[in-house]
Amino acid sequence: MKMDIKMLVTIFVVNFSYITLNTIRFMLTMKGYRLIAPLVSMAEITIYVLGLSMVLNRLDNPLNLIVYALGYAVGISVGIKIEDYLALGYIMVTAILPSSTEQLNLPEILRDHGYGVTQSFGAGREGERMILEILSPRKNERSLYKLINEKEPRAFIISYEPKFISGGFWTKKVRKRNK
C-alpha cells in the first residue's frame, strides 16, 4: 500500500472546506439569510461530492478515510470559530439582580453603553429582585456580561437568541443594520 501524501492533503482540505461551509451555511439558515444560505449550500454540496468520491474510489487505503474524518473534525472546529467571529444576530439577556443594587443605577449605565434595557421588579426566594431585559448584538455579548458582572457580581444572567424583533428602542437600529 503506497501512501500518496498529495492525495491525503487533498482529501483533508476538501472535507475541511466542506464541513466549514456546512457549519456556516447552517448558521446562516438559522439566522434567516434566505439568499446567501442556498448559495453557500451549492458550493458545500459540490465539495462534499468531490471529497466523498475521492475517498470511496480509494477505500483500499484506510488512511484516506482517517484523513477524511480528520478534515471533518477540524472543519467543525474552524466553522464554530468563524461563527463566533461573525456573531450574526442579536441576543436577549435577562439579568436578575438583588434589589439592593438599585443604587448602582445599572439600567442607566447599560443604556449609556447603547443597550436597550427594560427594567422591572420581581420577588425571589430571598426578597425583591430587579429584573433587566437587555437586547444586544451578539458581537457585544461578552462585553455586556463583563459590564454586568463588574457592576453586580451576584447577577443571575440568562441569554437566548430572539427570532423576531419588532417595535421599541431597537427597531430603527435593526432596520438600519439590515439595509
Side-chain angles (χ1 to χ4, degrees):
M1 177 171 53
K2 182 183 164 200
M3 187 177 354
D4 185 356
I5 298 294
K6 186 177 177 184
M7 179 57 66
L8 292 174
V9 169
T10 303
I11 289 171
F12 175 84
V13 169
V14 166
N15 208 35
F16 164 80
S17 302
Y18 157 64
I19 291 301
T20 302
L21 285 175
N22 177 275
T23 305
I24 293 168
R25 189 252 324 141
F26 182 75
M27 176 208 45
L28 293 170
T29 302
M30 296 304 296
K31 302 287 183 191
Y33 288 81
R34 295 174 187 208
L35 180 61
I36 189 123
L39 295 174
V40 170
S41 73
M42 287 174 50
E44 170 196 344
I45 199 65
T46 302
I47 293 169
Y48 170 73
V49 170
L50 175 66
L52 188 60
S53 69
M54 291 171 72
V55 172
L56 291 178
N57 288 335
R58 293 165 185 84
L59 279 178
D60 56 321
N61 185 353
L63 200 51
N64 290 341
L65 188 56
I66 292 168
V67 169
Y68 184 82
L70 181 63
Y72 195 100
V74 174
I76 286 181
S77 179
V78 170
I80 290 169
K81 288 190 184 311
I82 290 171
E83 196 276 335
D84 283 343
Y85 174 76
L86 293 175
L88 298 174
Y90 297 86
I91 59 161
M92 191 70 190
V93 174
T94 300
I96 302 173
L97 313 166
S99 63
S100 63
T101 60
E102 285 183 60
Q103 67 273 13
L104 291 177
N105 204 18
L106 186 55
E108 281 307 313
I109 293 169
L110 293 170
R111 288 180 187 120
D112 290 344
H113 280 83
Y115 297 105
V117 181
T118 300
Q119 175 183 350
S120 60
F121 292 91
R125 174 179 240 163
E126 297 175 5
E128 192 172 290
R129 300 284 183 250
M130 180 190 299
I131 302 167
L132 303 179
E133 296 287 335
I134 309 155
L135 184 63
S136 170
R138 274 197 55 229
K139 66 181 179 199
N140 298 343
E141 183 175 8
R142 300 218 191 284
S143 59
L144 173 59
Y145 296 153
K146 183 179 177 188
L147 181 59
I148 293 170
N149 283 317
E150 282 174 0
K151 301 299 179 187
E152 179 48 76
R154 299 173 296 167
F156 176 69
I157 303 171
I158 304 168
S159 69
Y160 58 92
E161 291 188 44
K163 181 75 174 160
F164 175 75
I165 300 172
S166 175
F169 170 76
W170 275 87
T171 302
K172 290 178 185 174
K173 284 187 175 185
V174 170
R175 284 190 184 136
K176 282 181 186 175
R177 285 187 185 127
N178 287 338
K179 285 183 179 177

